[in-house]
Amino acid sequence: MKKTEFSLANCMALARTLWSRAKALTIALTLIAVNSAKAQQAVLHNAYARDFESLNGAWHYIVDPYENGYYDYRYQPFDQSENPSRSAFFMNSKALDKTDLIEYNFDESPTMNIPTDWNTADEKLFYYEGTVWFKKSFSHSQQEGKRYFLYFGAVNYKAEVYLNGEKLGTHVGGFTPFHYEVTDQLKEENFVVVKVDNKRAKEAVPTLNTDWWNYGGITRDVKLVSTPNTFIDDYQFVLEDMNSKTVQGSVTLAGNDVASKPVTIEIPELKVKENLTTNAQGIATFNFRAKKMTLWSPESPKTYQVIIQSGDDSLEDQIGFKSIQTEGQKIVLNGEPVFLRGISIHEEKLGGGRVSTKAEAKQLLTYAKELGCNYVRLAHYPHNEHMVRLADEMGIMLWEEIPVYWTIDWTNQETYANAEAQLTRMIQRDKNRAATIIWSMANETPVRAERNDFLTRLATKARSLDPTRLISAALEQSYDPNDGNIRSIDDPYAQVVDVLSFNQYTGWYGGTPESPRLVKWNIDIDKPVLVSEFGAGAKYGFHADKMTRWSEEYQAYLYEETIEMLNRIEQLQGFSPWILMDFRSPRRVLPGIQDNWNRKGLLSEKGEKKMAFSVLQKFYQEKAKQ
């Protein structure tokens, strides 16, 4: 009998084979499950590239703090009546004659250029939290054999949408897309009215207490998307095996007749062409090899033109293929360990206000590239789709996050449903983006049984939707009760995530820039460590000695000492300091320094580089050479 050699190499090879087969089975089952159950939270996939008429531009608006346009004087909603009053703002009423009493007029009201946030578009609304109504009129020429969908990239926070006086629905969640089919409601002349409410609420996600500006408004693109009667509803491409360059996935059709329909997928550059047929549910699955494929990476952010065609519908996308996983304490991209040279970013443009254009998104990512980043943490909510698609092009790995932030209502099932819906929409929108490597479930949440259950359910949901990416959350460090300089991660949720991430502010929230020298890390969990936040505040242009808070010198010194400290963590695989650029926050009120800005940016709100920018840039330049 031949003796088997149980070498480390053989064991590792066997483990990779078993992992690959298990992953393939998981992916296949996931694709079937996801596409078979058309979830209520489903997004109109790749609205970015579909045929559409833009409804961006000037919208009339009415500020309505008492919500007079929504409730009658008995505080009953107008839209719950079979015959809504003409006083309801969504009716867009006009006085019929000189005796008619109508106490609003959209067409005589001011306009706002959508997409935007009202806080920066109208100085009177800078601090406003409440209801603003928006109205847009548009002409439409119906084409036979077409379906039409009213699509919103995001509305913060709650949107009530009406078309020609008829309610289409309510959407809750300020950072994810939603749509309504309007084929049967459209006329030659139309008006859409949106009641936008950005009031904070205890049971909401995020909850009452955050550390960023509560921008209100229609903050992303509005489109009237058109499709054939039967159209390509969804698709997913997954690199199942990195070595054989095997890709598997599915295409799903929507319509009245979706069974036994031909579907073609083509990747011209790779000479791939697959002819498929849908099953009874309108789903066609595929599995093919593309041996000449170049895998996506920050050094080579290769994407391929993918063409999907079925019947009268055709969609194109640019898709990259990569493998991301963990091996012990390593994060492994395409089979090779990778150190994540990162930075955290808020979705806030130069000068303040929500990012709404591709150019604004590109400016932020360009700063990150200049810093030396191969990775960005998109905090603390799903960012504009421009950011994610540009990251694909520019070679920047991404952490994407939902706003389960600080302390939310852990026992409220509606709160959980809200969080899960935002997670679902984020994954559905971005599942084909190569840049995304981590789905984050939360930020700085307190350890307790209800929270652990809440977050574990979210992780389970994320893995059911997408088993190909890593799961994490920004946790908090723990202190040894006998020696506060001994730090660890004592959180049951650390056993759930793939990547162990935490925020720490030694030297800022406690101590001085020299305090990190005393810290010892005792992390006994065999997983990669990714420090999701560290930093210090500094006012650009304020110079003093390196022990003076708010000076650029203090911030730069703390960066130097913190980097030295974190390098002593054996499992360290990267970090994303807080934060790229100063951003607005009503919590930050120190006169002459903060003035409603969080000053932890490496750049000022005007894009001016602080001294710490160069400290981190130098470290990343040296790290990239290793």
Side-chain angles (χ1 to χ4, degrees):
M1 177 181 285
K2 184 177 179 180
K3 187 176 181 180
T4 303
E5 294 184 11
F6 289 98
S7 67
L8 178 60
N10 286 341
C11 289
M12 290 297 291
L14 177 61
R16 289 192 190 98
T17 300
L18 293 174
W19 164 252
S20 179
R21 291 175 180 174
K23 187 174 79 168
L25 177 60
T26 303
I27 291 170
L29 292 173
T30 299
L31 291 170
I32 292 171
V34 170
N35 288 289
S36 295
K38 297 307 292 178
Q40 185 179 8
Q41 300 95 347
V43 302
L44 186 63
H45 193 60
N46 198 9
Y48 208 85
R50 293 181 186 267
D51 293 334
F52 68 91
E53 174 188 349
S54 175
L55 296 183
N56 291 348
W59 288 56
H60 291 277
Y61 69 98
I62 299 173
V63 182
D64 188 17
Y66 283 11
E67 298 188 298
N68 292 326
Y70 188 74
Y71 296 102
D72 66 18
Y73 78 109
R74 301 294 189 191
Y75 213 65
Q76 297 299 310
F78 288 126
D79 65 9
Q80 292 182 11
S81 169
E82 291 185 5
N83 297 298
S85 167
R86 294 173 62 236
S87 297
F89 287 6
F90 58 82
M91 297 298 291
N92 189 31
S93 301
K94 303 292 188 296
L96 300 178
D97 56 44
K98 63 183 181 180
T99 68
D100 196 12
L101 177 62
I102 298 294
E103 296 185 275
Y104 69 96
N105 188 328
F106 273 111
D107 294 338
E108 296 298 323
S109 298
T111 61
M112 193 175 293
N113 198 42
I114 300 299
T116 191
D117 62 89
W118 65 55
N119 313 76
T120 53
D122 184 342
E123 63 180 2
K124 296 191 300 295
L125 301 178
F126 184 66
Y127 289 102
Y128 182 68
E129 294 184 347
T131 289
V132 176
W133 295 81
F134 294 88
K135 192 273 292 185
K136 174 85 170 181
S137 296
F138 63 97
S139 301
H140 172 73
S141 179
Q142 195 93 344
Q143 297 183 42
E144 191 171 345
K146 291 284 189 181
R147 298 170 67 175
Y148 296 91
F149 300 86
L150 185 58
Y151 174 92
F152 295 84
V155 176
N156 194 43
Y157 185 75
K158 180 180 180 181
E160 312 259 4
V161 184
Y162 306 83
L163 179 65
N164 298 327
E166 180 180 344
K167 188 168 186 176
L168 299 178
T170 301
H171 180 263
V172 176
F175 309 98
T176 51
F178 61 98
H179 69 277
Y180 304 101
E181 181 165 5
V182 294
T183 307
D184 296 335
Q185 291 101 316
L186 287 170
K187 306 173 183 178
E188 289 187 5
E189 298 298 328
N190 304 272
F191 64 90
V192 59
V193 173
V194 185
K195 176 183 180 287
V196 183
D197 185 350
N198 75 329
K199 288 192 298 290
R200 292 165 294 123
K202 177 180 181 295
E203 67 278 8
V205 182
T207 186
L208 291 167
N209 193 20
T210 69
D211 187 16
W212 67 84
W213 207 263
N214 184 24
Y215 290 114
I218 302 174
T219 57
R220 297 179 190 165
D221 294 329
V222 186
K223 306 176 181 181
L224 185 64
V225 177
S226 63
T227 72
N229 279 330
T230 298
F231 65 96
I232 300 161
D233 185 36
D234 199 3
Y235 54 89
Q236 186 169 10
F237 286 74
V238 174
L239 181 65
E240 182 271 318
D241 185 80
M242 176 189 66
N243 296 315
S244 64
K245 307 292 178 66
T246 300
V247 176
Q248 69 178 50
S250 65
V251 177
T252 303
L253 303 185
N256 294 326
D257 184 14
V258 297
S260 302
K261 295 299 180 184
V263 175
T264 301
I265 59 173
E266 189 173 1
I267 308 178
E269 189 174 346
L270 294 175
K271 296 182 171 54
V272 169
K273 187 171 184 179
E274 296 285 314
N275 296 309
L276 316 169
T277 303
T278 60
N279 63 15
Q281 289 75 42
I283 303 169
T285 59
F286 56 83
N287 185 299
F288 62 81
R289 290 186 179 184
K291 292 185 177 180
K292 295 184 179 180
M293 175 192 297
T294 297
L295 298 183
W296 184 97
S297 70
E299 296 73 29
S300 177
K302 177 64 178 176
T303 61
Y304 293 92
Q305 180 192 35
V306 175
I307 305 168
I308 307 171
Q309 196 276 328
S310 182
D312 296 329
D313 199 15
S314 179
L315 269 181
E316 293 187 14
D317 206 344
Q318 289 293 134
I319 297 178
F321 301 93
K322 60 101 175 41
S323 169
I324 189 72
Q325 59 192 71
T326 63
E327 292 181 3
Q329 299 178 5
K330 303 293 185 183
I331 296 175
V332 179
L333 176 68
N334 300 332
E336 297 293 333
V338 60
F339 188 89
L340 304 184
R341 308 187 307 272
I343 193 70
S344 294
I345 293 181
H346 257 303
E347 190 188 61
E348 190 163 295
K349 61 188 176 183
L350 284 171
R354 277 272 174 256
V355 167
S356 60
T357 70
K358 188 174 181 178
E360 291 164 352
K362 189 170 185 177
Q363 178 67 77
L364 295 178
L365 293 179
T366 299
Y367 282 135
K369 291 285 283 189
E370 183 182 354
L371 187 59
C373 296
N374 61 4
Y375 159 74
V376 159
R377 178 186 178 213
L378 300 180
H380 286 295
Y381 37 76
H383 284 219
N384 195 303
E385 191 171 354
H386 294 312
M387 292 284 282
V388 188
R389 288 183 173 269
L390 282 167
D392 263 9
E393 297 175 18
M394 298 171 68
I396 301 174
M397 295 177 285
L398 295 179
W399 158 312
E400 294 199 64
E401 187 166 287
I402 57 173
V404 178
Y405 183 89
W406 289 355
T407 305
I408 67 171
D409 196 348
W410 304 112
T411 60
N412 188 320
Q413 291 307 305
E414 290 186 4
T415 301
Y416 176 80
N418 183 346
E420 185 180 283
Q422 293 187 58
L423 176 68
T424 298
R425 287 175 177 270
M426 176 178 71
I427 293 175
Q428 287 176 336
R429 190 192 72 176
D430 296 337
K431 61 180 178 287
N432 287 311
R433 304 280 68 83
T436 302
I437 62 169
I438 294 173
W439 302 122
S440 171
M441 303 299 104
N443 177 78
E444 291 183 323
T445 53
V447 176
R448 61 184 63 167
E450 300 86 354
R451 167 268 200 182
N452 298 343
D453 177 68
F454 190 108
L455 297 188
T456 299
R457 290 167 65 191
L458 286 178
T460 300
K461 180 65 175 181
R463 289 186 171 111
S464 75
L465 293 170
D466 177 17
T468 71
R469 291 178 174 86
L470 306 176
I471 301 296
S472 193
L475 309 177
E476 295 179 289
Q477 60 184 313
S478 301
Y479 299 81
D480 188 310
N482 299 314
D483 185 348
N485 287 318
I486 298 177
R487 311 289 174 80
S488 62
I489 303 301
D490 183 20
D491 187 337
Y493 198 60
Q495 303 303 322
V496 176
V497 298
D498 299 305
V499 177
L500 186 60
S501 303
F502 59 89
N503 300 344
Q504 75 82 40
Y505 284 94
T506 303
W508 184 250
Y509 296 121
T512 67
E514 296 175 346
S515 299
R517 299 179 185 180
L518 304 175
V519 173
K520 296 179 181 179
W521 293 92
N522 182 16
I523 301 174
D524 58 2
I525 303 169
D526 189 33
K527 293 183 179 183
V529 166
L530 180 60
V531 179
S532 37
E533 291 182 25
F534 71 82
K539 176 71 178 293
Y540 172 77
F542 173 47
H543 294 284
D545 64 83
K546 61 184 181 181
M547 299 299 287
T548 299
R549 283 187 183 266
W550 305 113
S551 70
E552 290 192 41
E553 286 78 5
Y554 187 107
Q555 185 187 46
Y557 185 32
L558 182 55
Y559 262 73
E560 292 170 353
E561 294 295 330
T562 300
I563 290 170
E564 287 292 325
M565 173 188 67
L566 297 180
N567 271 334
R568 298 196 293 269
I569 300 176
E570 181 181 353
Q571 304 101 311
L572 184 70
Q573 297 300 300
F575 40 67
S576 52
W578 193 258
I579 186 170
L580 178 68
M581 189 169 71
D582 290 351
F583 61 94
R584 284 197 173 115
S585 172
R587 296 175 60 88
R588 311 296 175 169
V589 297
L590 183 62
I593 298 291
Q594 293 172 315
D595 299 315
N596 285 144
W597 294 90
N598 186 310
R599 294 297 184 190
K600 295 188 182 70
L602 297 178
L603 303 168
S604 75
E605 72 276 15
K606 298 178 181 179
E608 301 153 317
K609 295 181 178 67
K610 303 176 190 178
M611 292 172 63
F613 186 98
S614 296
V615 173
L616 187 61
Q617 183 185 53
K618 180 181 178 182
F619 173 77
Y620 282 164
Q621 288 171 345
E622 294 172 352
K623 199 72 179 176
K625 297 175 184 178
Q626 296 177 4

